[in-house]
Amino acid sequence: MKRTILALSLGLVCGLGAHQGWFVTHRPRPVDDLESQWEWMREDLRLDETQVARIRALHEQSSPQLLALARRVAQMRREFAAFEKARRSSGEVDFLEFARYVDQQRALDRECVDSTRRLVAATVDVMRPEQRRQYLASLGPEFEAVAASVPKT
Amino acid sequence: MEKPQDPLDSLLDRWGDTTLEPSEHLEAETWRRIAHAATTAEPERRAGWLACIEVAFARPSFTVAFVAACVLLGLFLAEARVSHLQEARSRQVVQHYLRLIDPLVEDAPGVKVVAEVAKP
């Protein structure tokens, strides 16, 4: 009986030890900063150092414009929330102001989409065909148009 | 022609005439035996299983195989856990990246992430 209990305990301890050891050594690191973002791109897309450096430079180049756009988007959303609040409380709609808002929103959306697509297109230009496919597939169907516009060489 | 007398016939005739009276203890005895069988069968079966397990673990080869199986199971479960986390992380990374490159993604951290890039 003693031998059986010993063997069962040994099996349990070894199993748990193996589990914990494997999990701790292979556990993916959390994505909490930009470095882990680049690390993901490098590993997942199998980018070499030159590609990483060029892609990084492209992203850093477009970041001031993206930042400005992100601020404008946030501001537009705040304005629209205020407009909607006023409409709900007073029950009146200033159609002229609303039309102006819609126009501005459309222009801003277009600008955002264009700048993002430009960045994505410039990024895939640095990649090899299989990397491009994987990169665009991971971004989702919104970027299929970019994939279509990039020459398949 | 007369058929020869079969000795079994007389016995069968006699059996048909007599009515067997069951013993007055028959029912009680039957229930006692049923109860006894019920109480002894389960522990015996359990003892049989335990004996089987003990016999198996008495063999070193079985013990080694058991420990190896435990290790493999532990590794398999850890790998399943890791790949589950990898998938979740990949989704998280893509979301994070989209927030970085697309100002229209509806999430305030987008601005924060873009600001991080803009840092010198």
Side-chain angles (χ1 to χ4, degrees):
Chain A
M1 194 65 182
K2 217 173 180 181
R3 194 189 172 94
T4 305
I5 291 171
L6 192 71
L8 287 170
S9 313
L10 186 67
L12 191 72
V13 168
C14 288
L16 285 174
H19 178 90
Q20 201 56 25
W22 186 271
F23 183 72
V24 167
T25 51
H26 292 81
R27 179 175 45 191
R29 275 166 302 176
V31 187
D32 42 15
D33 56 4
L34 277 170
E35 279 313 310
S36 47
Q37 188 81 59
W38 295 122
E39 199 55 40
W40 162 74
M41 282 187 94
R42 191 201 316 267
E43 281 174 13
D44 229 51
L45 303 173
R46 292 184 202 88
L47 300 172
D48 58 38
E49 290 305 316
T50 322
Q51 286 177 312
V52 172
R54 284 181 65 191
I55 291 170
R56 213 172 164 150
L58 283 169
H59 282 71
E60 281 168 3
Q61 232 170 40
S62 56
S63 68
Q65 192 198 359
L66 289 170
L67 178 63
L69 285 171
R71 280 191 185 134
R72 277 171 62 195
V73 168
Q75 191 191 341
M76 285 290 281
R77 283 181 185 152
R78 273 197 305 274
E79 278 176 20
F80 183 72
F83 179 82
E84 185 64 7
K85 198 177 167 189
R87 185 189 68 80
R88 276 169 193 254
S89 58
S90 67
E92 288 173 7
V93 181
D94 184 345
F95 287 103
L96 281 176
E97 196 186 340
F98 185 70
R100 188 185 59 84
Y101 173 81
V102 169
D103 272 352
Q104 280 182 352
Q105 182 73 55
R106 274 191 194 141
L108 184 58
D109 283 3
R110 223 176 1 253
E111 208 177 329
C112 288
V113 169
D114 285 348
S115 61
T116 303
R117 283 189 178 168
R118 266 200 306 276
L119 175 60
V120 171
T123 304
V124 296
D125 215 28
V126 177
M127 295 176 177
R128 290 192 297 274
E130 71 274 8
Q131 292 172 330
R132 282 178 199 174
R133 270 194 296 277
Q134 198 184 337
Y135 172 70
L136 292 169
S138 67
L139 292 186
E142 298 86 17
F143 293 91
E144 274 170 10
V146 180
S149 68
V150 173
K152 293 182 179 8
T153 48
Chain B
M1 199 177 155
E2 200 175 310
K3 276 170 69 181
Q5 182 70 27
D6 189 340
L8 195 60
D9 289 343
S10 61
L11 283 172
L12 284 170
D13 288 341
R14 223 184 315 154
W15 182 59
D17 293 340
T18 54
T19 51
L20 284 171
E21 282 297 318
S23 157
E24 57 187 43
H25 302 299
L26 178 67
E27 195 179 337
E29 181 63 17
T30 307
W31 282 115
R32 193 190 65 76
R33 285 190 188 187
I34 289 171
H36 178 71
T39 51
T40 55
E42 188 55 31
E44 268 176 23
R45 204 179 307 146
R46 210 177 298 152
W49 272 105
L50 280 174
C52 275
I53 291 170
E54 275 190 51
V55 167
F57 277 109
R59 296 199 323 252
S61 59
F62 183 84
T63 307
V64 170
F66 173 76
V67 173
C70 286
V71 169
L72 288 176
L73 180 70
L75 290 176
F76 171 75
L77 292 176
E79 182 54 38
R81 214 171 137 194
V82 165
S83 62
H84 181 73
L85 278 178
Q86 289 275 19
E87 274 173 35
R89 183 179 182 267
S90 289
R91 279 196 301 274
Q92 192 192 354
V93 168
V94 170
Q95 285 304 312
H96 204 263
Y97 182 69
L98 282 174
R99 271 185 251 153
L100 173 76
I101 62 165
D102 190 355
L104 289 177
V105 171
E106 272 203 50
D107 208 340
V111 179
K112 200 178 105 190
V113 173
V114 174
E116 267 181 66
V117 181
K119 273 184 204 167

